[in-house]
Each structure stands twice: as C-alpha cells, then as structure tokens.
Amino acid sequence: MDLEYYKSQALQKQKEHKKFLENLKKKPPKNLDYVVQDTHDEVFEEIDCLDCANCCKTTGPLYTEKDIERISKHLRMKSADFEAKFLKTDEDNDKVLQNLPCWFLNEDNTCSIYEVRPKACREYPHTDRKKIYQINNLTLKNTVICPAAFVFVEKMISKIQK
C-alpha cells in the first residue's frame, strides 16, 4: 500500500472533499445512510487494514473509562497501572497513548488486544456512521491518514454527484 500516494492525493483534494462534505451537510440525500453503508462495505472489500495500519502508527485513540477497565482486565492489570504504563492525559483532558506507534500493534499490523480494543479503534475510520455529515471535520482529517477514508470520500462523490 502506497501511503505517500494516498496522503498526497488526499492533501491535493482537501478543498474538493471539504466542499462535497459541506454540501452533504446542507442538503443530505434521503437515502444517505444507505449509500454510506454500501460505500463503506465496498471500500473494505478492496482495502485491507492489515496492509496499512497507518492509524495505529500515527494517531492515538481516545481511551474511555470503559476501554481502560476492559483492556486492563484483559491484561490482568489494575486500571491505574494500565494508565500509568500506557496512557497520558492530553490538553483536552482525554486519555490517550503516551507513545506512538500504538504499543499493541504487532509487527504484522495485527492488534494484540483486538478483541478488547478501544471503542475509537473499533469505529475507525468512522465511514459507516449514520448522519456522516455530523463528523465532516473528522472525515476530512482521516482522508490524509487512512487510504480507506480517502477512497470512501472519492466513491461518495461519484455516487452522489451522479
């Protein structure tokens, strides 16, 4: 997977993507949630996250209290010890990883805590969201990080502008 190619394409098309997403918010088609889900499914038939894992290498998810409890239990650690070892509190007062790439990312791009991974990881890149226009800024940001998010927006443009 050529991450540099996708990143440069995403950066070149930021204005176009932003305009498309803003128009989607202003005037969402009636069947938008279905188009979004179909497009998401299509993209993930083409793109395998294990070929990339750029999200795990470059961005840290937000850890909720439920995430921390679930993961620390899985690792047989006390929540406080898990937090001390892996997490920090950021400027928004969110709990995030101390370091990147993610501590739980294996060399083959699999996740060592996949079954109990944070909610943010399970939902990433958020391209199967209902009312997708509510997260336009996040979608735009994700197109630069995630090839699937970039391809998703490109496919949405061609489907909706038909």
Side-chain angles (χ1 to χ4, degrees):
M1 171 134 344
D2 187 350
L3 282 176
E4 282 309 308
Y5 168 78
Y6 282 106
K7 185 177 181 176
S8 71
Q9 289 294 297
L11 290 170
Q12 282 175 30
K13 294 190 171 198
Q14 285 275 282
K15 280 193 176 98
E16 180 189 334
H17 286 177
K18 184 176 184 177
K19 187 177 178 191
F20 167 74
L21 292 168
E22 284 171 354
N23 288 337
L24 210 55
K25 188 173 193 164
K26 285 178 196 153
K27 198 175 172 218
K30 283 184 174 57
N31 64 340
L32 180 62
D33 290 344
Y34 295 105
V35 175
V36 164
Q37 188 61 57
D38 287 347
T39 307
H40 170 87
D41 293 344
E42 250 176 62
V43 168
F44 283 97
E45 281 174 22
E46 291 172 26
I47 293 180
D48 183 353
C49 294
L50 296 179
D51 292 337
C52 177
N54 196 41
C55 51
C56 308
K57 295 170 185 169
T58 63
T59 57
L62 183 143
Y63 281 73
T64 65
E65 288 305 319
K66 279 186 176 174
D67 292 333
I68 294 165
E69 286 172 31
R70 185 179 61 256
I71 297 164
S72 52
K73 183 180 175 186
H74 174 80
L75 297 173
R76 296 185 173 93
M77 294 175 82
K78 289 185 173 130
S79 292
D81 295 339
F82 174 81
E83 283 188 52
K85 184 171 182 176
F86 301 110
L87 305 180
K88 67 180 180 184
T89 303
D90 71 5
E91 61 280 353
D92 298 326
N93 226 18
D94 292 325
K95 294 198 171 128
V96 296
L97 290 169
Q98 289 174 14
N99 300 306
L100 291 169
C102 178
W103 179 265
F104 305 108
L105 180 66
N106 297 319
E107 280 187 35
D108 64 354
N109 287 344
T110 58
C111 174
S112 64
I113 59 165
Y114 188 79
E115 295 75 30
V116 295
R117 70 195 184 281
K119 182 176 187 271
C121 298
R122 273 182 271 137
E123 294 177 353
Y124 193 84
H126 313 284
T127 50
D128 57 353
R129 264 281 176 91
K130 291 199 183 325
K131 296 184 179 153
I132 193 107
Y133 52 79
Q134 292 176 338
I135 59 163
N136 279 350
N137 291 342
L138 184 61
T139 301
L140 200 59
K141 198 172 111 182
N142 288 344
T143 62
V144 179
I145 299 162
C146 174
F150 171 78
V151 172
F152 170 82
V153 174
E154 288 287 293
K155 284 180 180 277
M156 286 293 294
I157 290 171
S158 66
K159 286 180 179 192
I160 289 181
Q161 291 181 344
K162 277 181 184 171

mmCIF file of all heavy atoms in Angstrom, residues 54-101:
data_model
loop_
_atom_site.group_PDB
_atom_site.id
_atom_site.type_symbol
_atom_site.label_atom_id
_atom_site.label_comp_id
_atom_site.label_asym_id
_atom_site.label_seq_id
_atom_site.Cartn_x
_atom_site.Cartn_y
_atom_site.Cartn_z
ATOM 1 N N ASN A 54 -1.777 2.495 9.295
ATOM 2 C CA ASN A 54 -1.259 3.843 9.491
ATOM 3 C C ASN A 54 -1.913 4.536 10.684
ATOM 4 O O ASN A 54 -1.265 5.298 11.401
ATOM 5 C CB ASN A 54 -1.434 4.685 8.226
ATOM 6 C CG ASN A 54 -0.587 5.930 8.251
ATOM 7 O OD1 ASN A 54 0.570 5.904 8.676
ATOM 8 N ND2 ASN A 54 -1.156 7.032 7.813
ATOM 9 N N CYS A 55 -3.187 4.241 10.920
ATOM 10 C CA CYS A 55 -3.875 4.842 12.063
ATOM 11 C C CYS A 55 -3.175 4.450 13.374
ATOM 12 O O CYS A 55 -2.963 5.280 14.251
ATOM 13 C CB CYS A 55 -5.347 4.451 12.092
ATOM 14 S SG CYS A 55 -5.674 2.679 11.963
ATOM 15 N N CYS A 56 -2.788 3.189 13.480
ATOM 16 C CA CYS A 56 -2.127 2.683 14.698
ATOM 17 C C CYS A 56 -0.709 3.229 14.841
ATOM 18 O O CYS A 56 -0.170 3.290 15.944
ATOM 19 C CB CYS A 56 -2.057 1.163 14.677
ATOM 20 S SG CYS A 56 -3.623 0.347 14.359
ATOM 21 N N LYS A 57 -0.127 3.601 13.724
ATOM 22 C CA LYS A 57 1.253 4.093 13.728
ATOM 23 C C LYS A 57 1.337 5.596 13.974
ATOM 24 O O LYS A 57 2.338 6.083 14.485
ATOM 25 C CB LYS A 57 1.935 3.758 12.392
ATOM 26 C CG LYS A 57 2.095 2.264 12.175
ATOM 27 C CD LYS A 57 2.536 1.952 10.751
ATOM 28 C CE LYS A 57 2.564 0.439 10.525
ATOM 29 N NZ LYS A 57 2.736 0.093 9.121
ATOM 30 N N THR A 58 0.285 6.325 13.583
ATOM 31 C CA THR A 58 0.396 7.789 13.590
ATOM 32 C C THR A 58 -0.613 8.519 14.467
ATOM 33 O O THR A 58 -0.424 9.701 14.758
ATOM 34 C CB THR A 58 0.249 8.350 12.157
ATOM 35 O OG1 THR A 58 -1.064 8.031 11.673
ATOM 36 C CG2 THR A 58 1.309 7.780 11.233
ATOM 37 N N THR A 59 -1.700 7.872 14.853
ATOM 38 C CA THR A 59 -2.716 8.553 15.662
ATOM 39 C C THR A 59 -3.099 7.673 16.836
ATOM 40 O O THR A 59 -3.215 6.452 16.693
ATOM 41 C CB THR A 59 -3.997 8.853 14.852
ATOM 42 O OG1 THR A 59 -4.503 7.630 14.336
ATOM 43 C CG2 THR A 59 -3.738 9.822 13.734
ATOM 44 N N GLY A 60 -3.310 8.275 17.950
ATOM 45 C CA GLY A 60 -3.708 7.510 19.128
ATOM 46 C C GLY A 60 -5.180 7.691 19.399
ATOM 47 O O GLY A 60 -5.696 8.806 19.311
ATOM 48 N N PRO A 61 -5.864 6.605 19.727
ATOM 49 C CA PRO A 61 -7.290 6.724 20.042
ATOM 50 C C PRO A 61 -7.497 7.333 21.424
ATOM 51 O O PRO A 61 -6.599 7.326 22.261
ATOM 52 C CB PRO A 61 -7.763 5.265 20.035
ATOM 53 C CG PRO A 61 -6.562 4.514 20.516
ATOM 54 C CD PRO A 61 -5.395 5.228 19.882
ATOM 55 N N LEU A 62 -8.679 7.811 21.620
ATOM 56 C CA LEU A 62 -9.111 8.260 22.936
ATOM 57 C C LEU A 62 -9.540 7.007 23.716
ATOM 58 O O LEU A 62 -10.235 6.150 23.168
ATOM 59 C CB LEU A 62 -10.290 9.194 22.715
ATOM 60 C CG LEU A 62 -10.906 9.882 23.901
ATOM 61 C CD1 LEU A 62 -11.297 11.281 23.473
ATOM 62 C CD2 LEU A 62 -12.117 9.133 24.393
ATOM 63 N N TYR A 63 -9.116 6.897 24.940
ATOM 64 C CA TYR A 63 -9.488 5.757 25.790
ATOM 65 C C TYR A 63 -10.553 6.204 26.784
ATOM 66 O O TYR A 63 -10.323 7.107 27.578
ATOM 67 C CB TYR A 63 -8.273 5.239 26.569
ATOM 68 C CG TYR A 63 -7.344 4.377 25.763
ATOM 69 C CD1 TYR A 63 -6.521 4.926 24.787
ATOM 70 C CD2 TYR A 63 -7.289 3.000 25.964
ATOM 71 C CE1 TYR A 63 -5.666 4.131 24.038
ATOM 72 C CE2 TYR A 63 -6.434 2.200 25.224
ATOM 73 C CZ TYR A 63 -5.623 2.773 24.266
ATOM 74 O OH TYR A 63 -4.790 1.977 23.526
ATOM 75 N N THR A 64 -11.718 5.562 26.728
ATOM 76 C CA THR A 64 -12.781 5.851 27.690
ATOM 77 C C THR A 64 -12.513 5.041 28.964
ATOM 78 O O THR A 64 -11.692 4.109 28.958
ATOM 79 C CB THR A 64 -14.162 5.446 27.135
ATOM 80 O OG1 THR A 64 -14.194 4.016 26.980
ATOM 81 C CG2 THR A 64 -14.462 6.126 25.802
ATOM 82 N N GLU A 65 -13.233 5.372 30.022
ATOM 83 C CA GLU A 65 -13.093 4.601 31.268
ATOM 84 C C GLU A 65 -13.450 3.133 31.026
ATOM 85 O O GLU A 65 -12.786 2.237 31.547
ATOM 86 C CB GLU A 65 -13.947 5.190 32.391
ATOM 87 C CG GLU A 65 -13.412 6.510 32.934
ATOM 88 C CD GLU A 65 -11.954 6.460 33.408
ATOM 89 O OE1 GLU A 65 -11.535 5.468 34.040
ATOM 90 O OE2 GLU A 65 -11.216 7.429 33.122
ATOM 91 N N LYS A 66 -14.499 2.891 30.231
ATOM 92 C CA LYS A 66 -14.887 1.505 29.907
ATOM 93 C C LYS A 66 -13.773 0.776 29.166
ATOM 94 O O LYS A 66 -13.512 -0.402 29.419
ATOM 95 C CB LYS A 66 -16.167 1.477 29.062
ATOM 96 C CG LYS A 66 -17.430 1.618 29.864
ATOM 97 C CD LYS A 66 -18.652 1.430 28.978
ATOM 98 C CE LYS A 66 -19.900 1.479 29.826
ATOM 99 N NZ LYS A 66 -21.121 1.444 29.024
ATOM 100 N N ASP A 67 -13.124 1.477 28.219
ATOM 101 C CA ASP A 67 -11.998 0.891 27.484
ATOM 102 C C ASP A 67 -10.897 0.485 28.461
ATOM 103 O O ASP A 67 -10.365 -0.623 28.391
ATOM 104 C CB ASP A 67 -11.407 1.885 26.479
ATOM 105 C CG ASP A 67 -12.319 2.213 25.309
ATOM 106 O OD1 ASP A 67 -13.155 1.372 24.944
ATOM 107 O OD2 ASP A 67 -12.173 3.327 24.767
ATOM 108 N N ILE A 68 -10.558 1.399 29.345
ATOM 109 C CA ILE A 68 -9.467 1.171 30.298
ATOM 110 C C ILE A 68 -9.782 -0.033 31.193
ATOM 111 O O ILE A 68 -8.930 -0.910 31.386
ATOM 112 C CB ILE A 68 -9.193 2.449 31.130
ATOM 113 C CG1 ILE A 68 -8.655 3.553 30.215
ATOM 114 C CG2 ILE A 68 -8.229 2.162 32.283
ATOM 115 C CD1 ILE A 68 -8.687 4.951 30.809
ATOM 116 N N GLU A 69 -11.007 -0.084 31.692
ATOM 117 C CA GLU A 69 -11.411 -1.220 32.546
ATOM 118 C C GLU A 69 -11.327 -2.537 31.775
ATOM 119 O O GLU A 69 -10.775 -3.522 32.266
ATOM 120 C CB GLU A 69 -12.859 -1.025 33.043
ATOM 121 C CG GLU A 69 -13.002 0.015 34.121
ATOM 122 C CD GLU A 69 -14.472 0.305 34.421
ATOM 123 O OE1 GLU A 69 -15.327 -0.599 34.285
ATOM 124 O OE2 GLU A 69 -14.767 1.461 34.799
ATOM 125 N N ARG A 70 -11.881 -2.549 30.574
ATOM 126 C CA ARG A 70 -11.932 -3.772 29.766
ATOM 127 C C ARG A 70 -10.526 -4.249 29.393
ATOM 128 O O ARG A 70 -10.194 -5.426 29.543
ATOM 129 C CB ARG A 70 -12.767 -3.507 28.504
ATOM 130 C CG ARG A 70 -13.017 -4.713 27.631
ATOM 131 C CD ARG A 70 -13.878 -4.387 26.409
ATOM 132 N NE ARG A 70 -13.274 -3.405 25.527
ATOM 133 C CZ ARG A 70 -13.643 -2.124 25.436
ATOM 134 N NH1 ARG A 70 -14.636 -1.662 26.151
ATOM 135 N NH2 ARG A 70 -13.029 -1.297 24.608
ATOM 136 N N ILE A 71 -9.682 -3.341 28.933
ATOM 137 C CA ILE A 71 -8.343 -3.708 28.476
ATOM 138 C C ILE A 71 -7.457 -4.113 29.660
ATOM 139 O O ILE A 71 -6.741 -5.112 29.582
ATOM 140 C CB ILE A 71 -7.702 -2.566 27.656
ATOM 141 C CG1 ILE A 71 -8.527 -2.319 26.384
ATOM 142 C CG2 ILE A 71 -6.261 -2.906 27.293
ATOM 143 C CD1 ILE A 71 -8.228 -0.999 25.690
ATOM 144 N N SER A 72 -7.516 -3.359 30.745
ATOM 145 C CA SER A 72 -6.674 -3.710 31.896
ATOM 146 C C SER A 72 -7.091 -5.059 32.481
ATOM 147 O O SER A 72 -6.226 -5.851 32.875
ATOM 148 C CB SER A 72 -6.669 -2.605 32.957
ATOM 149 O OG SER A 72 -7.955 -2.234 33.324
ATOM 150 N N LYS A 73 -8.385 -5.345 32.479
ATOM 151 C CA LYS A 73 -8.856 -6.663 32.953
ATOM 152 C C LYS A 73 -8.284 -7.760 32.047
ATOM 153 O O LYS A 73 -7.788 -8.787 32.511
ATOM 154 C CB LYS A 73 -10.386 -6.694 32.962
ATOM 155 C CG LYS A 73 -10.986 -7.971 33.489
ATOM 156 C CD LYS A 73 -12.511 -7.921 33.475
ATOM 157 C CE LYS A 73 -13.094 -9.255 33.899
ATOM 158 N NZ LYS A 73 -14.556 -9.270 33.745
ATOM 159 N N HIS A 74 -8.359 -7.528 30.744
ATOM 160 C CA HIS A 74 -7.840 -8.480 29.758
ATOM 161 C C HIS A 74 -6.338 -8.723 29.967
ATOM 162 O O HIS A 74 -5.857 -9.848 29.833
ATOM 163 C CB HIS A 74 -8.095 -7.944 28.348
ATOM 164 C CG HIS A 74 -7.496 -8.753 27.250
ATOM 165 N ND1 HIS A 74 -8.080 -9.904 26.779
ATOM 166 C CD2 HIS A 74 -6.354 -8.578 26.524
ATOM 167 C CE1 HIS A 74 -7.320 -10.407 25.805
ATOM 168 N NE2 HIS A 74 -6.270 -9.622 25.641
ATOM 169 N N LEU A 75 -5.611 -7.670 30.303
ATOM 170 C CA LEU A 75 -4.163 -7.763 30.511
ATOM 171 C C LEU A 75 -3.808 -8.174 31.949
ATOM 172 O O LEU A 75 -2.634 -8.238 32.301
ATOM 173 C CB LEU A 75 -3.492 -6.423 30.175
ATOM 174 C CG LEU A 75 -3.610 -5.959 28.729
ATOM 175 C CD1 LEU A 75 -3.048 -4.555 28.572
ATOM 176 C CD2 LEU A 75 -2.908 -6.927 27.782
ATOM 177 N N ARG A 76 -4.857 -8.394 32.754
ATOM 178 C CA ARG A 76 -4.690 -8.750 34.174
ATOM 179 C C ARG A 76 -3.858 -7.707 34.921
ATOM 180 O O ARG A 76 -2.892 -8.018 35.599
ATOM 181 C CB ARG A 76 -4.065 -10.151 34.316
ATOM 182 C CG ARG A 76 -4.952 -11.254 33.773
ATOM 183 C CD ARG A 76 -4.338 -12.625 34.055
ATOM 184 N NE ARG A 76 -5.260 -13.696 33.673
ATOM 185 C CZ ARG A 76 -5.269 -14.294 32.480
ATOM 186 N NH1 ARG A 76 -4.406 -13.912 31.550
ATOM 187 N NH2 ARG A 76 -6.117 -15.264 32.233
ATOM 188 N N MET A 77 -4.249 -6.469 34.707
ATOM 189 C CA MET A 77 -3.586 -5.336 35.371
ATOM 190 C C MET A 77 -4.643 -4.518 36.098
ATOM 191 O O MET A 77 -5.817 -4.557 35.738
ATOM 192 C CB MET A 77 -2.940 -4.391 34.334
ATOM 193 C CG MET A 77 -1.814 -4.936 33.543
ATOM 194 S SD MET A 77 -1.279 -3.749 32.266
ATOM 195 C CE MET A 77 -0.214 -2.680 33.227
ATOM 196 N N LYS A 78 -4.204 -3.762 37.073
ATOM 197 C CA LYS A 78 -5.106 -2.784 37.700
ATOM 198 C C LYS A 78 -5.239 -1.626 36.717
ATOM 199 O O LYS A 78 -4.279 -1.265 36.024
ATOM 200 C CB LYS A 78 -4.504 -2.280 39.012
ATOM 201 C CG LYS A 78 -4.516 -3.327 40.107
ATOM 202 C CD LYS A 78 -4.027 -2.726 41.406
ATOM 203 C CE LYS A 78 -4.207 -3.747 42.520
ATOM 204 N NZ LYS A 78 -2.984 -3.921 43.293
ATOM 205 N N SER A 79 -6.413 -1.019 36.680
ATOM 206 C CA SER A 79 -6.660 0.113 35.778
ATOM 207 C C SER A 79 -5.617 1.212 35.962
ATOM 208 O O SER A 79 -5.103 1.769 34.987
ATOM 209 C CB SER A 79 -8.055 0.694 36.002
ATOM 210 O OG SER A 79 -9.030 -0.223 35.588
ATOM 211 N N ALA A 80 -5.308 1.521 37.203
ATOM 212 C CA ALA A 80 -4.328 2.587 37.492
ATOM 213 C C ALA A 80 -2.949 2.231 36.936
ATOM 214 O O ALA A 80 -2.244 3.102 36.409
ATOM 215 C CB ALA A 80 -4.252 2.837 39.000
ATOM 216 N N ASP A 81 -2.567 0.957 37.029
ATOM 217 C CA ASP A 81 -1.270 0.522 36.497
ATOM 218 C C ASP A 81 -1.259 0.598 34.974
ATOM 219 O O ASP A 81 -0.269 1.010 34.373
ATOM 220 C CB ASP A 81 -0.941 -0.911 36.952
ATOM 221 C CG ASP A 81 -0.742 -1.006 38.463
ATOM 222 O OD1 ASP A 81 -0.463 0.041 39.093
ATOM 223 O OD2 ASP A 81 -0.873 -2.120 38.998
ATOM 224 N N PHE A 82 -2.381 0.204 34.356
ATOM 225 C CA PHE A 82 -2.508 0.288 32.896
ATOM 226 C C PHE A 82 -2.340 1.743 32.451
ATOM 227 O O PHE A 82 -1.573 2.041 31.541
ATOM 228 C CB PHE A 82 -3.869 -0.264 32.447
ATOM 229 C CG PHE A 82 -4.127 -0.076 30.981
ATOM 230 C CD1 PHE A 82 -3.594 -0.948 30.049
ATOM 231 C CD2 PHE A 82 -4.901 0.991 30.527
ATOM 232 C CE1 PHE A 82 -3.823 -0.768 28.679
ATOM 233 C CE2 PHE A 82 -5.131 1.183 29.175
ATOM 234 C CZ PHE A 82 -4.592 0.305 28.252
ATOM 235 N N GLU A 83 -3.063 2.637 33.117
ATOM 236 C CA GLU A 83 -2.981 4.063 32.770
ATOM 237 C C GLU A 83 -1.561 4.588 32.931
ATOM 238 O O GLU A 83 -1.053 5.305 32.058
ATOM 239 C CB GLU A 83 -3.939 4.881 33.633
ATOM 240 C CG GLU A 83 -5.375 4.770 33.176
ATOM 241 C CD GLU A 83 -6.288 5.737 33.908
ATOM 242 O OE1 GLU A 83 -5.974 6.949 33.955
ATOM 243 O OE2 GLU A 83 -7.326 5.282 34.418
ATOM 244 N N ALA A 84 -0.924 4.239 34.039
ATOM 245 C CA ALA A 84 0.433 4.730 34.306
ATOM 246 C C ALA A 84 1.425 4.227 33.256
ATOM 247 O O ALA A 84 2.310 4.963 32.825
ATOM 248 C CB ALA A 84 0.878 4.304 35.700
ATOM 249 N N LYS A 85 1.241 2.984 32.820
ATOM 250 C CA LYS A 85 2.185 2.385 31.877
ATOM 251 C C LYS A 85 1.972 2.875 30.435
ATOM 252 O O LYS A 85 2.937 3.065 29.703
ATOM 253 C CB LYS A 85 2.074 0.861 31.924
ATOM 254 C CG LYS A 85 3.089 0.146 31.049
ATOM 255 C CD LYS A 85 3.117 -1.337 31.278
ATOM 256 C CE LYS A 85 4.195 -1.976 30.407
ATOM 257 N NZ LYS A 85 4.332 -3.404 30.659
ATOM 258 N N PHE A 86 0.703 3.043 30.020
ATOM 259 C CA PHE A 86 0.412 3.277 28.602
ATOM 260 C C PHE A 86 -0.185 4.634 28.247
ATOM 261 O O PHE A 86 -0.073 5.071 27.106
ATOM 262 C CB PHE A 86 -0.543 2.196 28.074
ATOM 263 C CG PHE A 86 -0.027 0.802 28.198
ATOM 264 C CD1 PHE A 86 -0.581 -0.086 29.103
ATOM 265 C CD2 PHE A 86 1.033 0.372 27.410
ATOM 266 C CE1 PHE A 86 -0.102 -1.389 29.212
ATOM 267 C CE2 PHE A 86 1.525 -0.926 27.518
ATOM 268 C CZ PHE A 86 0.954 -1.812 28.425
ATOM 269 N N LEU A 87 -0.859 5.286 29.194
ATOM 270 C CA LEU A 87 -1.662 6.456 28.840
ATOM 271 C C LEU A 87 -1.145 7.752 29.454
ATOM 272 O O LEU A 87 -0.378 7.743 30.405
ATOM 273 C CB LEU A 87 -3.122 6.243 29.257
ATOM 274 C CG LEU A 87 -3.815 4.991 28.723
ATOM 275 C CD1 LEU A 87 -5.249 4.918 29.234
ATOM 276 C CD2 LEU A 87 -3.783 4.928 27.206
ATOM 277 N N LYS A 88 -1.607 8.852 28.873
ATOM 278 C CA LYS A 88 -1.386 10.185 29.424
ATOM 279 C C LYS A 88 -2.670 10.973 29.211
ATOM 280 O O LYS A 88 -3.521 10.590 28.402
ATOM 281 C CB LYS A 88 -0.206 10.875 28.737
ATOM 282 C CG LYS A 88 -0.459 11.198 27.266
ATOM 283 C CD LYS A 88 0.718 11.872 26.606
ATOM 284 C CE LYS A 88 0.389 12.167 25.142
ATOM 285 N NZ LYS A 88 1.506 12.722 24.412
ATOM 286 N N THR A 89 -2.806 12.073 29.905
ATOM 287 C CA THR A 89 -3.956 12.954 29.719
ATOM 288 C C THR A 89 -3.507 14.102 28.829
ATOM 289 O O THR A 89 -2.511 14.763 29.120
ATOM 290 C CB THR A 89 -4.466 13.467 31.083
ATOM 291 O OG1 THR A 89 -4.783 12.336 31.893
ATOM 292 C CG2 THR A 89 -5.712 14.318 30.917
ATOM 293 N N ASP A 90 -4.233 14.313 27.720
ATOM 294 C CA ASP A 90 -3.842 15.360 26.769
ATOM 295 C C ASP A 90 -4.434 16.717 27.144
ATOM 296 O O ASP A 90 -5.106 16.854 28.167
ATOM 297 C CB ASP A 90 -4.177 14.948 25.328
ATOM 298 C CG ASP A 90 -5.667 14.948 25.017
ATOM 299 O OD1 ASP A 90 -6.487 15.363 25.882
ATOM 300 O OD2 ASP A 90 -6.033 14.530 23.902
ATOM 301 N N GLU A 91 -4.217 17.697 26.271
ATOM 302 C CA GLU A 91 -4.656 19.066 26.538
ATOM 303 C C GLU A 91 -6.178 19.196 26.610
ATOM 304 O O GLU A 91 -6.697 20.139 27.203
ATOM 305 C CB GLU A 91 -4.077 20.042 25.492
ATOM 306 C CG GLU A 91 -4.474 19.777 24.043
ATOM 307 C CD GLU A 91 -3.679 18.666 23.348
ATOM 308 O OE1 GLU A 91 -2.697 18.155 23.935
ATOM 309 O OE2 GLU A 91 -4.064 18.292 22.218
ATOM 310 N N ASP A 92 -6.902 18.257 26.020
ATOM 311 C CA ASP A 92 -8.372 18.266 26.094
ATOM 312 C C ASP A 92 -8.891 17.456 27.271
ATOM 313 O O ASP A 92 -10.088 17.197 27.383
ATOM 314 C CB ASP A 92 -8.981 17.705 24.800
ATOM 315 C CG ASP A 92 -8.632 18.538 23.585
ATOM 316 O OD1 ASP A 92 -8.520 19.775 23.723
ATOM 317 O OD2 ASP A 92 -8.463 17.956 22.496
ATOM 318 N N ASN A 93 -7.962 17.008 28.106
ATOM 319 C CA ASN A 93 -8.284 16.183 29.266
ATOM 320 C C ASN A 93 -8.760 14.782 28.894
ATOM 321 O O ASN A 93 -9.481 14.135 29.648
ATOM 322 C CB ASN A 93 -9.308 16.887 30.174
ATOM 323 C CG ASN A 93 -8.895 16.804 31.631
ATOM 324 O OD1 ASN A 93 -7.730 16.540 31.944
ATOM 325 N ND2 ASN A 93 -9.849 17.006 32.515
ATOM 326 N N ASP A 94 -8.366 14.337 27.691
ATOM 327 C CA ASP A 94 -8.691 12.983 27.234
ATOM 328 C C ASP A 94 -7.517 12.064 27.553
ATOM 329 O O ASP A 94 -6.367 12.496 27.550
ATOM 330 C CB ASP A 94 -8.936 12.969 25.718
ATOM 331 C CG ASP A 94 -10.199 13.712 25.337
ATOM 332 O OD1 ASP A 94 -11.181 13.670 26.103
ATOM 333 O OD2 ASP A 94 -10.206 14.333 24.255
ATOM 334 N N LYS A 95 -7.835 10.807 27.776
ATOM 335 C CA LYS A 95 -6.778 9.818 28.000
ATOM 336 C C LYS A 95 -6.385 9.224 26.652
ATOM 337 O O LYS A 95 -7.216 8.703 25.923
ATOM 338 C CB LYS A 95 -7.265 8.743 28.958
ATOM 339 C CG LYS A 95 -7.508 9.350 30.326
ATOM 340 C CD LYS A 95 -7.580 8.358 31.430
ATOM 341 C CE LYS A 95 -7.599 9.126 32.743
ATOM 342 N NZ LYS A 95 -8.678 8.750 33.598
ATOM 343 N N VAL A 96 -5.096 9.357 26.343
ATOM 344 C CA VAL A 96 -4.545 8.899 25.058
ATOM 345 C C VAL A 96 -3.227 8.161 25.318
ATOM 346 O O VAL A 96 -2.681 8.219 26.419
ATOM 347 C CB VAL A 96 -4.315 10.086 24.091
ATOM 348 C CG1 VAL A 96 -5.635 10.760 23.713
ATOM 349 C CG2 VAL A 96 -3.355 11.104 24.675
ATOM 350 N N LEU A 97 -2.720 7.511 24.279
ATOM 351 C CA LEU A 97 -1.453 6.792 24.411
ATOM 352 C C LEU A 97 -0.303 7.748 24.699
ATOM 353 O O LEU A 97 -0.255 8.847 24.160
ATOM 354 C CB LEU A 97 -1.154 6.018 23.117
ATOM 355 C CG LEU A 97 -2.040 4.829 22.818
ATOM 356 C CD1 LEU A 97 -1.802 4.343 21.389
ATOM 357 C CD2 LEU A 97 -1.790 3.698 23.808
ATOM 358 N N GLN A 98 0.644 7.267 25.512
ATOM 359 C CA GLN A 98 1.848 8.059 25.794
ATOM 360 C C GLN A 98 2.726 8.157 24.555
ATOM 361 O O GLN A 98 3.349 9.183 24.311
ATOM 362 C CB GLN A 98 2.666 7.407 26.913
ATOM 363 C CG GLN A 98 2.049 7.485 28.274
ATOM 364 C CD GLN A 98 2.845 6.690 29.305
ATOM 365 O OE1 GLN A 98 3.984 6.300 29.071
ATOM 366 N NE2 GLN A 98 2.231 6.441 30.440
ATOM 367 N N ASN A 99 2.799 7.060 23.784
ATOM 368 C CA ASN A 99 3.703 6.996 22.638
ATOM 369 C C ASN A 99 3.028 6.368 21.429
ATOM 370 O O ASN A 99 2.108 5.576 21.574
ATOM 371 C CB ASN A 99 4.928 6.129 22.976
ATOM 372 C CG ASN A 99 5.714 6.685 24.140
ATOM 373 O OD1 ASN A 99 6.105 7.836 24.130
ATOM 374 N ND2 ASN A 99 5.941 5.856 25.143
ATOM 375 N N LEU A 100 3.551 6.731 20.263
ATOM 376 C CA LEU A 100 3.133 6.103 19.005
ATOM 377 C C LEU A 100 4.370 5.522 18.352
ATOM 378 O O LEU A 100 5.466 6.048 18.567
ATOM 379 C CB LEU A 100 2.487 7.146 18.086
ATOM 380 C CG LEU A 100 1.139 7.672 18.567
ATOM 381 C CD1 LEU A 100 0.715 8.867 17.744
ATOM 382 C CD2 LEU A 100 0.082 6.577 18.520
ATOM 383 N N PRO A 101 4.275 4.488 17.552
ATOM 384 C CA PRO A 101 3.055 3.748 17.230
ATOM 385 C C PRO A 101 2.442 3.085 18.458
ATOM 386 O O PRO A 101 3.084 2.972 19.508
ATOM 387 C CB PRO A 101 3.536 2.710 16.217
ATOM 388 C CG PRO A 101 5.000 2.585 16.396
ATOM 389 C CD PRO A 101 5.467 3.887 16.956
#
